[in-house]
Amino acid sequence: MTASAPLPPGVSAADFNQALKEFAGVVGHDWVLTSEEDRHTYLDAFAPGDADKHACSAALAPTTAEEVQALVKIANRHRIPLWPVSTGRNLAYGGSAPVLRGSVVLDLKRMNRVLEVNNELGYALVEPGVNFFDLFEALQAQGGKLWISTPAPGWGSVIGNALEHGVGYTPYGVNANSICGMEVVLANGDVVRTGMGGVNPGGQEWQVFKYGYGPVWDLMFTQSNFGVVTKMGIWLLPEPEAVANFAISLPDMGDLPVMVDTLRPLRLDDTINAPYTITNPYRSIMDPMSAQGKTRSTIYKGPGCMPLDFVEQTLRSRGEGMWNVGFNLFDSDKGLDLREAKIRAAFDKVPGAKVKTMRWHRGEPLAGWMRVSPVLFPLAGVDWYGGPGGHINYAPVVAPIGSRIAEVYDMVYRRYVEFGFDCYCGFLNIGGRAIVVNPCTFFNREDAEMTRRARELARVLYKDGAAKGFGDYRAHISFMDDVADMYGYNDHAARRLGDKVKDALDPNGILAPGKQGLWGSAQRVHKGKPA
Ligand code: ADP
């Protein structure tokens, strides 16, 4: 251990060193990572402030569920908090870094086997370290008959993304919906298989039926700190006959409500059978520039939020509208014809709407726009204000009613102007019906004043949203308590329930204390300190 490494709170240096020895007995000395250089790789690369506030004391990299079991038992004996990550690419939400400074990162990326691809039954069984590229390659090696629902960007783990309620862009949408059967190591070292995985001896049913017998546990292990997921089944989309891309543009700044209200019934009756993303005018300018590696100064040099007039003129000079929506549909060619006719008929009623489409047919090479093969480009925007950059996302869930979405957007836009940031905003159709209004604040991490402003903007938006009755669906490690505070019904009954489950499963609070605002009795004293 180097002098600058933090200790887990409440643990003496002697106890910590003893625990490290015991951990090494399980994973080997090489995989107990304590050097400054190693620990540095677990800092939040996009930290909205001092990354050291969420520094880990060490990291452990096991290769099997049995090793994970042994590690949690040692952690329990020494009261050492563990922060599990699959690949730790949870960028904008904290990367690999723990909420509680001094926690030990339990890095599962060496557990990286695709255990099964089943073309007949339409699923894969994966370990935590499998990222979207690995799974894509494994599926291609089996003939490419099954497709994944890749998030943007695609370098994170399949399990990490599903556990955090990440979204893909096929009809399967939110990857947590596609989870079918998990293996989980509990805080006491016990290992459970959920659903049909509990049948002993099991057969071919673990990954085909989500409900098993009795309570369904799988989703309880998502966005929580109740266990370490060591295997997960995921349903995959059988390759369709055809895919159509839609790019629909509306001309005027006031067109956001009509965009939302036109899309809603089409999504509700499944004419639009996969998630859509609406982009605001700032995003429509910034995304293409970032994709070419261009930063803000190449188009605008003034301070503050780029003026709306300038943004409007820039888009108009390119013949583009102010509000754009994109989505892909998956069906037979004939099915797509019917869907397209309905969508065109709906947007024909909106003045100035332009609808562009393109199609892919089975047998043709996969195209980038299909978002079926993983890509990395969406990360390019972080250096918008020069680098090294970072970004913070605000992500309230809003019902897809035009006036309501416009109200939230207006609230967001005013704050971006007030805090002096370009108002980059997407509207992500998540979970079939809702829209996550998703403004993203880019900042230059070398600029302490800008970083502070970005952090303050996030806190103000959480408060504004909560006052209007909105809650976020996900949070950065620095803001997990702020977002948990939004869910205040009946004196925070939801958090009290979470804490009760936490205390029952993990009385010493060794798994990811503070995650999603769940501290449990043993670690609650650390809430709010020191970050
Ligand atoms: P990705 O690399 O896919 O972006 P991470 O590996 O960073 O995702 O995981 C995101 C978050 O999900 C982690 O910070 C952690 O809280 C939780 N998590 C990830 N993998 C596991 C796991 N196998 N078991 C329990 N929690 C996990």
Side-chain angles (χ1 to χ4, degrees):
M1 200 178 70
T2 61
S4 58
L7 283 168
V11 176
S12 71
D15 255 7
F16 187 54
N17 283 323
Q18 175 58 31
L20 291 180
K21 270 192 207 136
E22 293 176 30
F23 288 143
V26 176
V27 292
H29 282 281
D30 287 352
W31 299 106
V32 176
L33 307 162
T34 55
S35 72
E36 196 170 346
E37 197 185 344
D38 283 334
R39 283 184 296 100
H40 192 81
T41 63
Y42 293 96
L43 290 177
D44 177 10
F46 292 169
D50 185 359
D52 188 61
K53 288 183 173 175
H54 294 282
C56 67
S57 51
L60 311 171
T63 51
T64 63
E66 291 72 26
E67 288 181 5
V68 174
Q69 288 180 274
L71 295 174
V72 295
K73 285 182 185 162
I74 296 167
N76 249 310
R77 272 205 303 282
H78 295 280
R79 306 284 193 270
I80 292 181
L82 299 175
W83 180 265
V85 297
S86 285
T87 54
R89 297 293 179 108
N90 198 19
L91 295 176
Y93 296 103
S96 310
V99 170
L100 181 62
R101 186 169 188 271
S103 299
V104 171
V105 174
L106 184 61
D107 181 346
L108 305 171
K109 74 163 105 46
R110 293 174 73 214
M111 297 174 65
N112 60 359
R113 289 173 305 162
V114 176
L115 297 166
E116 187 187 355
V117 168
N118 193 316
N119 276 337
E120 268 179 313
L121 295 170
Y123 69 80
L125 180 66
V126 296
E127 291 189 325
V130 172
N131 66 33
F132 283 90
F133 289 100
D134 301 331
L135 181 55
F136 180 73
E137 274 168 30
L139 295 173
Q140 290 300 106
Q142 304 263 354
K145 297 288 169 234
L146 296 174
W147 287 5
I148 42 180
S149 212
T150 6
W155 66 356
S157 85
V158 177
I159 288 188
N161 179 273
L163 294 184
E164 288 297 293
H165 304 169
V167 201
Y169 299 91
T170 71
Y172 286 17
V174 170
N175 282 314
N177 275 345
S178 306
I179 295 172
C180 188
M182 285 178 170
E183 178 185 87
V184 186
V185 174
L186 302 178
N188 64 1
D190 207 0
V191 60
V192 228
R193 288 188 172 180
T194 63
M196 302 310 288
V199 175
N200 201 13
Q204 278 272 285
E205 287 72 33
W206 192 15
Q207 270 66 57
V208 296
F209 187 62
K210 294 183 182 183
Y211 310 100
Y213 180 69
V216 180
W217 303 116
D218 298 44
L219 291 184
M220 169 178 133
F221 295 106
T222 71
Q223 286 209 358
S224 75
N225 47 17
F226 300 150
V228 181
V229 178
T230 46
K231 290 186 181 66
M232 188 187 86
I234 183 153
W235 285 359
L236 301 164
L237 179 76
E239 182 191 43
E241 192 184 298
V243 181
N245 175 263
F246 282 72
I248 303 176
S249 176
L250 300 188
D252 297 322
M253 205 52 221
D255 284 337
L256 176 61
V258 71
M259 174 74 97
V260 171
D261 291 333
T262 309
L263 291 166
R264 185 185 54 254
L266 295 166
R267 184 70 176 112
L268 203 61
D269 72 6
D270 213 39
T271 302
I272 296 178
N273 68 352
Y276 57 81
T277 303
I278 302 173
T279 47
N280 82 334
Y282 289 86
R283 186 165 162 178
S284 296
I285 288 183
M286 290 161 69
D287 272 350
M289 285 184 61
S290 300
Q292 296 168 40
K294 289 186 185 158
T295 57
R296 183 181 198 261
S297 57
T298 53
I299 57 159
Y300 193 78
K301 295 211 166 37
C305 180
M306 290 188 291
L308 207 48
D309 292 356
F310 167 78
V311 170
E312 195 162 353
Q313 274 165 25
T314 307
L315 285 177
R316 291 214 191 286
S317 69
R318 296 179 191 164
E320 291 175 35
M322 297 295 272
W323 294 99
N324 290 282
V325 66
F327 52 89
N328 293 331
L329 305 184
F330 301 73
D331 205 338
S332 62
D333 217 26
K334 278 195 182 138
L336 289 177
D337 288 344
L338 296 175
R339 290 174 194 272
E340 182 171 340
K342 256 183 102 174
I343 292 165
R344 284 190 183 277
F347 277 95
D348 274 351
K349 297 189 186 114
V350 183
K354 285 187 193 153
V355 179
K356 283 192 212 154
T357 67
M358 52 186 161
R359 278 203 199 176
W360 169 93
H361 299 93
R362 191 182 288 164
E364 293 169 10
L366 296 177
W369 58 261
M370 294 163 69
R371 307 183 83 161
V372 170
S373 40
V375 288
L376 289 182
F377 72 86
L379 279 182
V382 291
D383 292 338
W384 180 243
Y385 289 102
H391 66 119
I392 311 180
N393 290 351
Y394 173 55
V397 177
V398 185
I401 301 288
S403 55
R404 201 164 163 82
I405 296 288
E407 181 192 346
V408 176
Y409 180 68
D410 190 52
M411 170 189 100
V412 166
Y413 175 69
R414 283 168 195 272
R415 289 297 193 191
Y416 272 73
V417 171
E418 180 187 337
F419 281 77
F421 287 99
D422 294 331
C423 185
Y424 177 103
C425 189
F427 300 74
L428 319 178
N429 164 231
I430 287 190
R433 300 193 178 188
I435 286 179
V436 167
V437 179
N438 194 210
C440 191
T441 313
F442 296 108
F443 55 92
N444 184 333
R445 296 181 56 230
E446 303 275 270
D447 183 336
E449 190 277 331
M450 182 184 279
T451 308
R452 180 194 55 73
R453 249 188 306 131
R455 202 169 51 235
E456 271 178 26
L457 172 58
R459 286 229 150 88
V460 166
L461 286 172
Y462 290 139
K463 289 215 175 89
D464 285 350
K468 285 182 179 285
F470 296 106
D472 278 44
Y473 92 109
R474 201 167 173 181
H476 182 273
I477 48 170
S478 297
F479 304 112
M480 285 191 167
D481 288 320
D482 299 71
V483 172
D485 284 345
M486 292 173 172
Y487 291 77
Y489 171 74
N490 187 17
D491 190 23
H492 294 93
R495 184 163 56 202
R496 286 187 283 114
L497 170 64
D499 271 344
K500 258 191 200 136
V501 176
K502 181 71 178 162
D503 284 350
L505 290 179
D506 184 9
N508 295 322
I510 57 139
L511 291 183
K515 186 164 161 57
Q516 257 71 40
L518 293 174
W519 289 89
S521 305
Q523 303 283 354
R524 193 167 297 120
V525 290
H526 303 302
K527 180 178 167 178
K529 293 184 248 168

